Amino acid sequence: MGVKHLTAQELSSERHGCELAAVSRTCVRYLPLLKPDELFLRNEIQTLAHRHKRFGSPRIIALLNRGCIHVNHKRVERLWKLEGLSLRFRKARKRVHVPGGSVLQKAEHPNQVWSYDFMEDRTASGNRLKLLNMVDEYTREGLQIRVDRSINSAKVIDSLRALFAERGAPEYLRSDNGPEFIAKAVKEWLAENGCKTLYIEPGSPWENPFIESFNGKVRDEFLNMNLFRSVFEAQALADLWLREYNELRPHSSLGYRTPREFAACGEFSRAASSGSSAAGLIGPSLRFQNQEKLKTLTL
């Protein structure tokens, strides 16, 4: 770069500049050769990054592999930086480490432990929106995002009734000590349906990490990326985003599989998938199976 600057400013010849910098003239004149598929790959990366604005390079790599585009992860990361697609994240807070783990009654199979929590947002006119999020702690599948102006204990029971009818009652339901969750009507209804409650300690959200993680994704990838004009619009967009989360979005803790893929594969063990790279985690059958789905949902 220094030699080229000197020659561009006509301060020195190329030969003299290379002698001053002690570099070969061949190195200065070298131009990298683009691979035949370089432009195609960059376009694919840009398309996926535009469709999923809050996805980092690992998830884009997983989507490329799922779409039968087999590419080295280092190559994608290089192009990712050249395109200026790196995301900015807030500095993570210091985590609280509890001896023996902080999650009580950890889920060991699907439909064993669910967790739910509330979030709040605003419409474009400033009206309040309240969201009730539910997630299966084992498969990490988002079960429901209910959007309303307000959600009381009766509406909580209504949401649970619909999910219990569709999926059956879980063994445990984890939540904080919000008034809607500790209401007598909710406790009695859960007891009648054979579901036990797990309440975390007040002021200890790390005891409910799965729903807190899900809430963070809802905030970052859904609420912060949309402007809602009404409750109905927010609910419709929430349903679309939840479907994409369950059926398309690669989940890092599931070996970059989607929650639906993990629940359907029948491999109820994450030991084999932890620590693996995204390129080798999605087998050929899943790549071909999801190729058409990828085209319809991303392009």
Side-chain angles (χ1 to χ4, degrees), residues 100-245:
S102 58
V103 180
L104 301 177
Q105 195 59 50
K106 211 167 186 178
E108 298 179 350
H109 56 80
N111 218 42
Q112 182 184 17
V113 183
W114 293 359
S115 56
Y116 58 168
D117 197 11
F118 286 115
M119 297 182 68
E120 290 191 5
D121 200 45
R122 297 280 176 177
T123 63
S125 58
N127 293 323
R128 181 192 185 205
L129 291 176
K130 195 166 187 178
L131 289 75
L132 175 61
N133 300 334
M134 299 190 191
V135 65
D136 187 314
E137 291 191 2
Y138 191 83
T139 64
R140 312 297 173 85
E141 184 178 1
L143 304 176
Q144 185 185 74
I145 299 178
R146 176 168 182 166
V147 186
D148 210 332
R149 296 290 185 193
S150 63
I151 301 178
N152 54 23
S153 59
K155 292 181 179 180
V156 171
I157 294 175
D158 181 62
S159 296
L160 291 172
R161 181 182 291 110
L163 284 175
F164 282 21
E166 178 184 353
R167 298 171 173 268
E171 297 179 29
Y172 300 93
L173 191 60
R174 195 190 313 274
S175 70
D176 57 26
N177 295 272
E180 298 88 354
F181 299 142
I182 63 174
K184 182 179 179 181
V186 174
K187 288 183 176 180
E188 291 179 350
W189 189 88
L190 290 174
E192 291 174 0
N193 287 271
C195 180
K196 301 177 183 178
T197 56
L198 294 172
Y199 294 112
I200 66 174
E201 290 294 325
S204 304
W206 53 84
E207 294 184 6
N208 199 4
F210 302 102
I211 192 64
E212 292 294 338
S213 175
F214 182 76
N215 288 348
K217 296 175 178 65
V218 172
R219 177 70 64 186
D220 183 54
E221 300 176 15
F222 172 59
L223 295 179
N224 290 348
M225 303 301 294
N226 292 281
L227 189 63
F228 311 112
R229 290 169 292 183
S230 65
V231 176
F232 303 103
E233 182 182 31
Q235 183 65 72
L237 292 176
D239 293 339
L240 289 175
W241 182 86
L242 188 63
R243 179 190 170 194
E244 181 180 291
Y245 175 87

Side-chain angles (χ1 to χ4, degrees), residues 5-148:
H5 174 73
L6 291 174
T7 55
Q9 299 295 325
E10 298 184 353
L11 299 176
S12 173
S13 65
E14 183 183 271
R15 182 187 299 274
H16 187 223
C18 290
E19 291 176 355
L20 291 175
V23 296
S24 170
R25 295 172 66 186
T26 305
C27 294
V28 174
R29 294 178 177 180
Y30 173 77
L31 295 175
L33 297 177
L34 295 179
K35 295 184 178 180
D37 61 341
E38 189 87 352
L39 182 60
F40 168 76
L41 182 58
R42 294 180 81 148
N43 289 336
E44 287 295 313
I45 293 174
Q46 288 176 352
T47 300
L48 290 173
H50 179 74
R51 173 66 180 84
H52 308 283
K53 294 182 175 61
R54 297 303 298 170
F55 279 17
S57 58
R59 288 193 173 88
I60 297 299
I61 293 169
L63 290 178
L64 289 172
N65 279 275
R66 188 183 300 168
C68 301
I69 302 176
H70 309 287
V71 60
N72 187 281
H73 69 94
K74 290 182 287 186
R75 186 181 177 195
V76 175
E77 290 168 358
R78 175 178 60 83
L79 296 176
W80 186 263
K81 291 181 180 179
L82 287 176
E83 295 294 331
L85 299 173
S86 299
L87 302 178
R88 292 184 178 182
F89 294 98
R90 292 195 311 174
K91 186 177 180 181
R93 296 181 180 179
K94 187 176 181 180
R95 296 185 178 182
V96 177
H97 295 280
V98 180
S102 58
V103 180
L104 301 177
Q105 195 59 50
K106 211 167 186 178
E108 298 179 350
H109 56 80
N111 218 42
Q112 182 184 17
V113 183
W114 293 359
S115 56
Y116 58 168
D117 197 11
F118 286 115
M119 297 182 68
E120 290 191 5
D121 200 45
R122 297 280 176 177
T123 63
S125 58
N127 293 323
R128 181 192 185 205
L129 291 176
K130 195 166 187 178
L131 289 75
L132 175 61
N133 300 334
M134 299 190 191
V135 65
D136 187 314
E137 291 191 2
Y138 191 83
T139 64
R140 312 297 173 85
E141 184 178 1
L143 304 176
Q144 185 185 74
I145 299 178
R146 176 168 182 166
V147 186
D148 210 332

